[in-house]
Amino acid sequence: MKIKGKVKNLAPSLLINIMAVTALFTVPLRTYQLVNIIEPQTGFYARYDITILILYALISVACLLFFLLSFIDGAMPAPNLPRGKNVFIGVSSAFLSITLLIDSIMQIDKLIALHNKYDLDFFELLYYLVKTGGMTALVQAIFAILSAVYFSIFAISYLKGKEYYKTERVMALFPIIWGLCRAIQRFIEPIRFKNVSELLLQLFMLIFMLVFFLSFARIASQVNGEKSMWLLFASGLSASLIAMTITVPSIIVMIMGKSSLLYSHYPVAFCDLFFAVFVVALLLELVPSKLEIEQMNKSEVELIEQTEEKIEGVQ
């Protein structure tokens, strides 16, 4: 029995609502954890607390729902990005581009600090990075800049109402490589993933982010994007939920004047927050209206009736 796209009247906006409601619970829970049960020196949980189980359960159930409902949703829009001018997508893309540049600067700063610490020349530093696996930081910095350029083009496209991004098929792959470098850096951390809460959340966020960027690249470039829309919604909302759960509580703690409680090894990545903003802005514009859903269902019913009539005519 075919399951994909089986539920015809399931509006994709429901998925965004689930994400928003879940975030209303996960953000306060994570803020509580940062203030009360996480060691700022190590990033480890100092003690067991019921909020740990609740937080992971909420995120797991929400992500499962995103993928399940996206898969069975028969009202998913066609694999095309919105056309014409769109200020929300343009501005969110611009902010994502800026924060990607900030991420690049942060990675370069790490490399400079490493150079100064060990007093290495360029080739010695390069050898050290290859030997220790730190080369991904250099590659991440490079592709953060290239990804920023791509999203700048994307922003200009929507602010001017021109589809410049459609011709940049190779550049659409740059965010995927950037995310992959980030994921590799997290995987080679020589610590126990389950103990460092920030690292575990980041790993899952980056995995979902990679799936989103891959689906996004296919749809934006019009290359094999026919089956990518449900993945765009599912992975994008999953990554956005976790990104907000990571970044927003850290910003709240900073505003509270308690920055000393944050684990310094994982500074706030504003690119993750604006990635979430970009995803939500994009998906909100992609969600079909109630009238469009009714028209899609009507067209499908007419197609089925025409097919049945042809079969009866042949018989």
Side-chain angles (χ1 to χ4, degrees):
M1 183 178 70
K2 182 182 177 182
I3 299 177
K4 187 176 186 299
K6 193 70 175 177
V7 183
K8 303 302 178 185
N9 295 315
L10 179 60
S13 57
L14 174 64
L15 301 170
I16 300 175
N17 292 335
I18 291 173
M19 191 271 289
V21 171
T22 307
L24 289 176
F25 288 95
T26 59
V27 168
L29 282 171
R30 185 62 183 165
T31 305
Y32 167 83
Q33 291 180 356
L34 290 174
V35 174
N36 294 282
I37 65 171
I38 293 178
E39 295 178 350
Q41 296 82 9
T42 62
F44 282 43
Y45 286 119
R47 57 183 172 83
Y48 175 76
D49 191 273
I50 190 62
T51 60
I52 300 173
L53 181 61
I54 295 173
L55 180 68
Y56 289 151
L58 283 171
I59 292 175
S60 300
V61 171
C63 292
L64 182 63
L65 284 174
F66 294 149
F67 278 86
L68 176 62
L69 296 179
S70 296
F71 187 75
I72 66 174
D73 193 347
M76 276 289 160
N80 298 302
L81 296 181
R83 294 175 179 271
K85 286 186 178 182
N86 192 302
V87 175
F88 293 109
I89 295 178
V91 172
S92 62
S93 303
F95 276 108
L96 178 57
S97 175
I98 293 168
T99 51
L100 282 167
L101 288 175
I102 294 173
D103 179 73
S104 175
I105 292 169
M106 291 173 66
Q107 298 308 311
I108 293 171
D109 186 61
K110 284 182 183 179
L111 297 174
I112 293 173
L114 188 63
H115 171 269
N116 294 335
K117 181 178 179 180
Y118 294 104
D119 193 25
L120 303 173
D121 62 31
F122 176 77
F123 293 104
E124 288 174 334
L125 178 62
L126 202 61
Y127 174 75
Y128 179 82
L129 292 175
V130 172
K131 184 179 178 181
T132 59
M135 180 60 74
T136 52
L138 177 60
V139 179
Q140 178 182 329
I142 294 170
F143 279 94
I145 296 171
L146 294 174
S147 299
V149 173
Y150 175 71
F151 280 110
S152 295
I153 296 171
F154 198 80
I156 293 170
S157 298
Y158 277 99
L159 291 174
K160 288 191 173 183
K162 305 289 184 180
E163 297 179 339
Y164 300 126
Y165 66 88
K166 280 193 174 182
T167 60
E168 307 299 338
R169 294 184 175 181
V170 174
M171 292 190 73
L173 299 175
F174 293 158
I176 301 172
I177 302 173
W178 168 75
L180 184 61
C181 289
R182 290 186 68 191
I184 291 172
Q185 280 202 73
R186 298 303 181 269
F187 273 115
I188 62 177
E189 292 281 352
I191 51 181
R192 296 176 65 186
F193 297 129
K194 68 178 183 180
N195 286 345
V196 183
S197 55
E198 191 82 0
L199 178 58
L200 183 62
L201 289 172
Q202 284 193 24
L203 280 172
F204 281 106
M205 177 197 69
L206 290 168
I207 290 169
F208 290 131
M209 188 183 286
L210 283 171
V211 178
F212 171 83
F213 279 138
L214 179 59
S215 303
F216 175 78
R218 286 177 172 176
I219 295 170
S221 304
Q222 296 291 290
V223 178
N224 298 325
E226 292 77 12
K227 299 180 180 179
S228 296
M229 189 56 78
W230 77 272
L231 276 174
L232 188 81
F233 271 81
S235 60
L237 291 174
S238 297
S240 297
L241 172 62
I242 302 175
M244 286 190 287
T245 303
I246 293 172
T247 57
V248 176
S250 297
I251 294 172
I252 292 173
V253 171
M254 290 169 64
I255 294 172
M256 291 168 59
K258 296 184 177 181
S259 301
S260 59
L261 296 176
L262 300 177
Y263 183 34
S264 60
H265 189 66
Y266 296 122
V268 179
F270 288 98
C271 57
D272 293 338
L273 176 61
F274 284 99
F275 164 81
V277 172
F278 168 73
V279 170
V280 173
L282 178 65
L283 297 187
L284 280 173
E285 295 299 323
L286 284 171
V287 170
S289 65
K290 186 176 180 180
L291 179 60
E292 289 173 329
I293 293 174
E294 290 175 355
Q295 289 175 342
M296 283 192 290
N297 292 337
K298 184 179 179 180
S299 299
E300 187 168 345
V301 170
E302 291 176 351
L303 181 61
I304 293 172
E305 290 176 349
Q306 291 173 3
T307 304
E308 289 176 348
E309 288 175 0
K310 288 180 181 179
I311 294 173
E312 289 175 359
V314 171
Q315 292 177 345

